[in-house]
């Protein structure tokens, strides 16, 4: 065997070894480098939209307004009691939601969760304010939903007064696609 063929064979063996090492490293590190589910669980925002409309999980969302109150009133003009410690305020988000084809409307209702978010990543779930003139969830028998027909809802949050300047909007998400959208006022 001559020197040229030995060198060629050695180079080929080194290239095969490097390729095998690269494939092995990729196979071991891939789950850690691109773990979409973990990033989603940590609160990653995938899209930021100013007011909307934006479609998430076959529901079109449009944030009409987001205002801060010390108390809110029911349809009769009486204050609605919401649980909250001293120093809290009420954030009222008025939203237009439109169920789109592909969404399962069971008994003319569906799940429409929206979470209030601040600049530091803190979140607040909405409160049920019974008696408020607008429905506060998308399963209200008195306010049935129809496919492709917009309807107004209210999301009501009780938050500490000192976080109001840091509030940035509401987030809605598609759990199955691991997609979270921030809708800003």
């Amino acid at each position: 065997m001559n020197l040229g063929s030995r060198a060629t064979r050695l180079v080929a063996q080194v290239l095969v070894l490097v390729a095998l090492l690269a494939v092995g490293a990729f196979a071991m590190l891939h789950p850690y480098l691109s773990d979409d589910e973990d990033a989603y669980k940590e609160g990653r925002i995938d899209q930021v939209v100013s007011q909307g409309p934006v479609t998430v999980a076959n529901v079109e969302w449009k944030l009409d307004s987001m205002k801060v109150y010390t108390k809110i009133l029911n349809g009769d003009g009486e204050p609605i009691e919401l649980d909250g410690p001293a120093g809290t305020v009420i954030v009222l988000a008025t939203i237009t939601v439109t169920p789109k084809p592909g969404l399962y409307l069971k008994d003319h209702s569906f799940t429409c969760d929206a979470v209030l978010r601040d600049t530091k990543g803190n979140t607040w779930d909405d409160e049920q304010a019974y008696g408020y003139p607008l429905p506060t969830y998308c399963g209200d028998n008195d306010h049935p939903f129809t496919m492709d027909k917009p309807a107004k809802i209210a999301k009501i949050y009780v938050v500490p007064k000192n976080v109001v300047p840091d509030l940035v909007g509401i987030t809605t998400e598609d759990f199955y696609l691991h997609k979270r959208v921030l809708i800003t006022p």
Side-chain angles (χ1 to χ4, degrees):
M1 199 184 259
N2 65 19
L3 186 59
S5 65
R6 279 187 181 173
T8 304
R9 192 169 115 202
L10 181 62
V11 168
Q13 288 175 339
V14 169
L15 289 175
V16 168
L17 182 61
V18 168
L20 286 173
L21 286 172
V23 169
F26 176 77
M28 286 180 52
L29 295 176
H30 180 69
Y32 301 105
L33 296 176
S34 64
D35 194 356
D36 195 40
E37 186 174 350
D38 283 345
Y40 171 78
K41 287 178 183 176
E42 291 171 359
R44 174 193 67 208
I45 300 291
D46 298 298
Q47 184 179 1
V48 178
V49 177
S50 178
Q51 291 185 318
V54 62
T55 302
V56 179
N58 298 322
V59 177
E60 183 180 273
W61 295 79
K62 183 178 182 296
L63 180 60
D64 300 319
S65 68
M66 194 168 87
K67 298 179 181 175
V68 179
Y69 296 96
T70 54
K71 64 175 117 175
I72 57 173
L73 306 176
N74 65 16
D76 298 329
E78 299 171 0
I80 296 174
E81 295 296 323
L82 295 170
D83 291 333
T88 58
V89 293
I90 300 166
V91 176
L92 173 66
T94 306
I95 305 162
T96 302
V97 293
T98 308
K100 293 295 186 180
L103 180 70
Y104 178 61
L105 280 178
K106 181 179 180 182
D107 298 326
H108 297 285
S109 64
F110 59 98
T111 302
C112 60
D113 294 327
V115 177
L116 185 65
R117 188 177 182 103
D118 71 3
T119 56
K120 298 173 184 152
N122 298 316
T123 60
W124 293 267
D125 292 325
D126 59 313
E127 302 285 328
Q128 296 299 322
Y130 299 104
Y132 192 74
L134 288 175
T136 56
Y137 55 99
C138 298
D140 192 340
N141 292 334
D142 296 333
H143 303 92
F145 288 87
T146 306
M147 196 66 69
D148 279 329
K149 184 178 178 193
K152 292 213 183 272
I153 62 168
K155 292 291 184 180
I156 299 168
Y157 307 93
V158 177
V159 301
K161 187 176 184 177
N162 63 333
V163 303
V164 170
D166 296 325
L167 296 176
V168 291
I170 60 170
T171 59
T172 185
E173 56 194 52
D174 185 338
F175 175 76
Y176 297 106
L177 295 178
H178 297 129
K179 177 183 178 182
R180 186 174 287 115
V181 177
L182 172 64
I183 307 170
T184 61

